[in-house]
């Protein structure tokens, strides 16, 4: 075989290899589009039956085939808001401890422990929530909240433990590691010279954080919040155990509810032989898909912009 | 800033400092609390039967999760076989061939979004494209669902790790006349080996704890699904049948009021969490970390 033939064959193998890698890279895009398409295609039956009314209807009765997504959307939003209200300030303040306050060795241990929370499967959070946290919420925390703040509509009703508040707390625990880690990275990127200037001018640590570090890293911190939010919205197993799975809307956080993901997880099995019911659940999935898709896109664009900002 | 007394500013500062310590402590306490309950309640039912017997009715005390353990291993193995090569090759494209290609930005963008897509939706998707056409739940469907969850993680990790390999290595290989593929397989991969292994192990650990995508794909089964025939096929696991797996079994057991099943659910949880934590620690310590990915 002469040299040019060897070269030609090498080129062919290279071309093939290159094409193969391109194909595998594109697979990610194809899968993403296919998920959206399939969710849409399989929910057409439900869309035809209920139309836009689906979004504003809170009825849910598989026997009479009356379905509406409102209670699921409401539950998803409320549980996510509770989770964010707890995890966002907590994550930021833990990141503050890790970057400013603690000894580097201690920071490594504490940071590692918080990150370990992210390695625990969500079903474990759910089960632990149901068997350990729910009884405590029911007998201790919620009666106490009711005694102190019972005049608020959020804390009315009989504390059952299996409710929105518990679901929000479990969700908060699950997204805490992400928010903490992300915020920690952001705070670590603040140039020391800025902080030193603050301290030099006599500012306290809190003032440096409030007036220098957070304004400097605000874009990154917002990005961290989006990531946490996206996770909380679609989290399934942990919520399914503790949210109670009832399709009603109540202002009280002590009442059970449902999220889109928990409803799909719990009711899909019953819907297998009922085409309309199944289609309804897949349309719920489509709604969840669109919500998380929008949040992820915003988060991605935000982070892309952030990187450009840093470069310039 | 409004002028305020030094005492006030100092006390606010101290308050925040204390608060941040308390918050960190609370985070760690919750972790320890969960692990403690897992260990304590899990060990109770973790006997020899748990590893050797099949799942069965809650009235029979001598049952275990052997079929679920085996099923989880096979489903995760299938996910690895499908997801890792595609992810690695995709990552190679992003890092080696198309670093600035417009398609690459789209792939990165969609990979990040796919990572943030709720895993239960992947389950519904696989139900529509594999379970319905095959007219039945199968371990195969479960494995593919997990592979999809793995795919973007592996792709992005591979790109990040390959990007750390110095360009001089690539250039020297090419200068010696090596074709691209040889350069990548023999030089770049070898240089990035530790990081790649870490990334793959972490991805495997992550998907092995997934429940939601398996609920209506792999479903569950109280039996082993080895082919029931004589000859060598007897030892081949039939992935076209509904396949028992740990996480779905834990879910099914924990949602019942039967104490026997709840105990076994704790034992199963201990096993799967322990396996994931051990895998993560092995990946981080033995293979020198690599770059961690989040979100």
């Amino acid at each position: 075989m002469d040299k040019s033939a060897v070269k030609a064959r090498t080129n062919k193998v290279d071309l093939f290899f290159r094409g193969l890698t391109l194909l595998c890279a594109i697979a990610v895009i194809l899968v993403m589009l296919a998920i959206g398409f399939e969710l849409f295609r399989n929910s057409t039956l439900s869309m035809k039956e209920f139309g836009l009314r689906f979004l504003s209807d809170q009825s849910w009765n598989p026997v009479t085939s009356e379905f509406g997504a409102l209670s699921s959307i409401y539950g998803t939003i409320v549980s996510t808001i509770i989770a964010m209200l707890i995890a966002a300030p907590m994550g930021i303040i833990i990141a503050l401890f890790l970057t400013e306050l603690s000894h580097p060795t201690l920071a490594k241990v504490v940071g590692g422990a918080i990150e370990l929370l992210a390695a625990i499967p969500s079903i474990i959070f759910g089960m632990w929530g149901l068997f350990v946290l729910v009884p405590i919420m029911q007998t201790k925390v919620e009666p106490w909240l009711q005694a102190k703040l019972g005049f608020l509509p959020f804390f009315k009703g009989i504390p059952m433990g299996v409710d929105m508040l518990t679901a929000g707390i479990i969700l908060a625990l699950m997204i805490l590691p992400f928010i903490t880690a992300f915020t920690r990275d952001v705070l670590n990127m603040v140039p020391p010279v800025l902080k030193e200037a603050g301290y030099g001018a006599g500012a306290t640590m809190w003032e440096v954080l409030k007036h220098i570090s957070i304004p400097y890293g605000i874009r990154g911190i917002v990005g961290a919040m989006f990531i946490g939010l996206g996770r909380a919205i679609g989290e399934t197993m942990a919520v399914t155990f503790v949210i109670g799975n009832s399709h009603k809307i109540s202002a009280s956080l002590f009442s059970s509810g449902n999220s889109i993901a928990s409803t799909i997880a719990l009711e899909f099995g019953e819907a297998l032989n009922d085409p309309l019911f199944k289609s309804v659940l897949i349309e719920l999935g489509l709604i969840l898909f669109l919500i998380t898709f929008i949040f992820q896109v915003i988060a991605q664009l935000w982070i892309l912009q952030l990187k450009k900002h840093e470069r310039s | 800033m409004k002028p305020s007394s030094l005492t006030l500013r100092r006390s606010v500062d101290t308050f925040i400092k204390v608060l941040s310590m308390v918050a960190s402590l609370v985070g760690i306490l919750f972790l320890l609390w969960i692990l403690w309950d897992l260990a304590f309640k899990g060990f109770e039912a973790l006997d020899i039967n748990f590893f050797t017997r099949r799942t069965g009715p809650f009235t029979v005390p001598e049952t275990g999760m052997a079929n679920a353990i085996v099923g989880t291993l096979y489903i995760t193995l299938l996910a690895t076989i499908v997801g890792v090569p595609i992810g690695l090759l995709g990552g190679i494209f992003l890092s080696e061939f198309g670093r600035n290609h417009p398609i690459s930005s789209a792939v990165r963008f969609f990979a990040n979004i796919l990572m943030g897509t709720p895993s239960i939706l992947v389950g519904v998707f696989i139900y529509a494209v594999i379970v319905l056409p095959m007219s039945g739940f199968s371990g195969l469907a479960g494995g593919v669902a997990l592979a999809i969850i793995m795919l973007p993680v592996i792709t992005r990790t591979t790109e990040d790790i390959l990007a750390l390999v110095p360009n001089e290595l690539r250039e020297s290989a090419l200068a010696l006349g090596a074709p691209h593929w040889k350069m990548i397989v023999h030089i770049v991969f070898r240089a990035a080996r530790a990081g790649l292994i870490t990334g793959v192990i972490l991805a495997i650990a992550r998907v092995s704890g997934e429940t939601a995508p398996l609920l209506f794909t792999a479903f569950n089964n109280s039996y082993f699904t080895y082919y029931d025939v004589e000859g060598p096929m007897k030892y081949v696991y039939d992935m076209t049948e509904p396949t028992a797996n740990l996480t779905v079994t834990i879910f099914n057991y924990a949602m019942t009021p039967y104490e026997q099943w709840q105990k076994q659910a704790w034992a199963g949880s201990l096993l799967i969490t322990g396996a994931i934590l051990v895998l993560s620690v092995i990946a981080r310590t033995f293979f020198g970390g690599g770059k961690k990915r989040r979100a």
Side-chain angles (χ1 to χ4, degrees), chain A residues 14 128 185 202 206-207 300, chain B residues 9 13 37 112 180-181 294:
Chain A
D14 246 7
W128 181 83
D185 290 349
W206 166 240
E207 286 162 352
Q300 292 308 318
Chain B
R9 287 172 51 212
D13 194 54
D37 277 331
N112 288 347
H180 258 96
W181 68 270
R294 301 196 180 98

Side-chain angles (χ1 to χ4, degrees), chain A residues 10 13-14 21-22 24 42 93 97 113 115 123-124 127-128 132 181 185 202 205-207 227 268 272 278 300, chain B residues 9 12-13 20 23-24 31 33 37 86 89 93 97 110 112 127-128 179-181 216 247 266 269 294-295:
Chain A
T10 306
V13 174
D14 246 7
T21 60
L22 176 66
C24 291
N42 285 282
I93 214 161
F97 175 77
E115 276 188 25
I123 188 168
I124 310 297
M127 211 174 91
W128 181 83
V132 181
D185 290 349
M205 193 194 74
W206 166 240
E207 286 162 352
I227 301 284
F268 205 85
L272 292 177
K278 196 157 73 180
Q300 292 308 318
Chain B
R9 287 172 51 212
V12 168
D13 194 54
S20 82
S24 307
L31 174 77
W33 192 2
D37 277 331
I86 301 182
L89 287 169
F93 179 80
F97 292 123
F110 277 98
N112 288 347
Y127 176 82
H180 258 96
W181 68 270
F216 3 96
T247 45
W266 278 108
S269 303
R294 301 196 180 98

Side-chain angles (χ1 to χ4, degrees), chain B residues 42-264:
Chain B
F43 266 120
E44 242 180 286
L46 206 58
D47 51 13
I48 186 73
N49 284 335
F50 183 85
F51 293 101
T52 55
R53 304 284 183 109
R54 293 191 287 107
T55 49
F58 60 91
T59 44
V60 182
E62 276 91 33
T63 55
M65 286 201 186
N67 53 332
I69 296 171
V70 172
T72 289
L73 287 177
Y74 275 105
I75 291 173
T76 312
L77 181 71
L78 178 67
T80 310
I81 292 172
V82 176
V84 171
I86 301 182
L88 281 177
L89 287 169
I92 290 177
F93 179 80
L94 295 183
S95 159
E96 305 297 317
F97 292 123
R99 208 172 275 188
N100 300 312
H101 202 281
I103 285 183
S104 299
S105 342
V107 172
R108 289 186 194 107
F109 193 78
F110 277 98
N112 288 347
I113 291 177
L114 188 54
M115 272 193 260
T117 299
S119 57
I120 189 156
L121 296 182
V122 176
V124 175
F125 168 67
I126 292 296
Y127 176 82
V129 296
I130 296 186
V131 175
L132 280 183
M134 282 180 58
S135 56
F137 301 111
S138 63
L140 183 80
V144 175
L146 294 189
I148 288 182
I149 294 169
M150 249 181 175
L151 178 63
V153 183
I154 302 267
T155 306
R156 296 291 276 137
T157 318
T158 304
E159 187 199 357
D160 285 351
I161 288 164
L162 294 191
L164 296 177
V165 175
N167 261 332
E168 285 78 5
L169 283 181
R170 296 187 178 88
E171 285 156 6
S172 4
L174 291 178
L176 287 174
H180 258 96
W181 68 270
K182 226 173 204 170
M183 177 271 283
I184 291 165
V185 174
H186 290 295
I187 308 293
V188 179
F189 259 39
R190 194 159 293 179
R193 193 171 47 195
L196 288 177
I197 295 177
T198 307
V200 168
I201 294 180
L202 286 181
I204 294 174
R206 187 177 145 180
V207 297
S208 61
E210 284 282 357
T211 313
L214 297 181
L215 285 174
F216 3 96
T217 55
F219 203 64
N220 209 341
N221 198 328
S222 7
Y223 295 91
F224 291 98
T225 52
Y226 288 105
Y227 284 102
D228 195 12
V229 291
E230 282 307 309
M233 285 294 278
K234 209 168 72 170
Y235 302 103
V236 178
Y237 208 76
D238 184 0
M239 296 291 277
T240 59
E241 293 287 319
T243 304
N245 60 85
L246 270 174
T247 45
V248 173
T249 308
I250 293 170
F251 178 56
N252 292 342
Y253 275 21
M255 292 298 253
T256 64
Y258 313 119
E259 204 182 328
Q260 157 89 356
W261 274 4
Q262 289 180 359
K263 272 188 185 165
Q264 293 203 336

